[in-house]
Amino acid sequence: MPDAPQSLRLTTPLPLDSGGELAAPTIAYETYGELNADRSNAILICHALTGDQYVASTHPITGKPGWWARMVGPGKPIDTDRFHVICANVIGSCLGSTGPASVAPDGQPYALRFPVITVRDMVRALVGLLDGLGIERLYCAIGGSMGGMQALSLAANWPERAARFLLIATTARHSAQNIAFHEVGRQAIMADPRWNGGDYYAGEAPDAGLAVARMAAHITYLSEDGLTEKFGRRLQDRPDGTQGAKSFGFDADFQIESYLRYQGNGFTKRFDANSYLYITRAMDYFDLADEHGGRLTDAFAGTTARFCVVSFDSDWLYPTSESRHMVQALNAAGAPVSFVELSAPFGHDSFLLDVPALDRVVKGFLE
Ligand SMILES: CC(=O)SCCNC(=O)CCNC(=O)[C@H](O)C(C)(C)COP(=O)(O)OP(=O)(O)OC[C@H]1O[C@@H](n2cnc3c(N)ncnc32)[C@H](O)[C@@H]1OP(=O)(O)O
Ligand SMILES: N[C@@H](CCO)C(=O)O
């Protein structure tokens, strides 16, 4: 079991890549397992776009198990009998860390007055959290998807803060295709009249736009084979009990339509539309080579850490070629790095699902 929900307020303003700063942001986090006497067994898990700090504990809104409960816990690949696990909600999000829905110093929600942040800004806040917790050097920093971007950013900008980095289903640079999908989602939110220029906290939220954004994004987290296997062209049972019949209208005739509507609507219950805008923007801006003078290798110059890079053969969002690119850069920087492409049918979200080979890789790397 985790400790009670925890948060830490940074005591100084957080400088941002945009040139601005965030006044004393709050970082909400969860911990699992005991920190040992010499503080050498801490693992930081960084979450993906819509993830949160509830990595292995019940989500306070959905009531569902933590998003990596299969991976984190006593005797699990990230073994909390051995490691002290920390997982924090990124700034810009909406599960307790400071974000656009938070109250600004003037007493009103930030909304679009919240500054545009980068992945490096998120990590700067995480480093502030580690400082506050008195953890100088992590045993390992781990992340999938945007979590992997954070781990990469930590490796590049604060290399002394971790001895190992485990990067899963991620990339060192957001591609044009990924920026394009994010832009579709943002436009769906902004086209919802309830979005109201981001100023909706006193009224109804732009759930219709946010649901469409999630539906479009969710497709990118899956794979064609996975969709065919799970739904194919099968028809959805209708609310009136009719089975296997087309409506000759625009109901959710196909199971995949029904599924996407369900995922889209469910998402609006646990996520803030403005946070979605800010976090997707941070991901789009992520380009580690560009941050380090144009050569990815230079981002890792002088690192003494060990790296493990994992990709999935069905992930077309962050394909294996992007992982290879990271591995080549790490090799060129002289870093010890192991790399594996795992076979799994679930697309990008494979890192969240039942892929026993991933469990073995994670456990093996931590040993
Ligand atoms: C670090 C992080 O990334 S944290 C964020 C990760 N979490 C999320 O993304 C949460 C939302 N996403 C999901 O649930 C993702 O699909 C996953 C990857 C996490 C889970 O995948 P799976 O276990 O394969 O579940 P699946 O995608 O099939 O969804 C199951 C749900 O869809 C519903 N569903 C399945 N078929 C249909 C259908 N035809 N019509 C309507 N609903 C359907 C199921 O009833 C189930 O509902 P429930 O979640 O309320 O129990
Ligand atoms: N499905 C996960 C991973 C996206 O990269 C999320 O919603 O955060």
Side-chain angles (χ1 to χ4, degrees), residues 210-222 227 231 236 252 254-268:
L210 182 60
V212 172
R214 181 61 170 182
M215 289 168 77
H218 196 73
I219 299 165
T220 72
Y221 305 148
L222 310 173
L227 283 177
F231 304 110
Q236 181 70 26
F254 292 94
Q255 287 183 8
I256 179 60
E257 294 177 290
S258 168
Y259 170 77
L260 282 181
R261 289 183 190 192
Y262 180 81
Q263 292 289 342
N265 288 333
F267 184 55
T268 64

Side-chain angles (χ1 to χ4, degrees), residues 75-113:
K76 294 190 178 175
I78 302 173
D79 187 351
T80 51
D81 285 338
R82 183 177 165 208
F83 295 111
H84 176 66
V85 172
I86 305 160
C87 185
N89 191 214
V90 295
I91 56 164
S93 188
C94 50
L95 266 292
S97 291
T98 301
S102 304
V103 175
D106 67 0
Q108 298 299 316
Y110 279 101
L112 285 211
R113 297 178 303 149

Side-chain angles (χ1 to χ4, degrees), residues 47-48 50-52 64 67 214 218 230-231 236 255 258-259 262-263 270 349 351-353:
H47 69 72
T50 76
D52 45 56
K64 290 186 178 170
W67 55 267
R214 181 61 170 182
H218 196 73
K230 200 163 177 172
F231 304 110
Q236 181 70 26
Q255 287 183 8
S258 168
Y259 170 77
Y262 180 81
Q263 292 289 342
R270 70 176 177 94
D349 266 350
F351 76 99
L352 297 166
L353 292 166

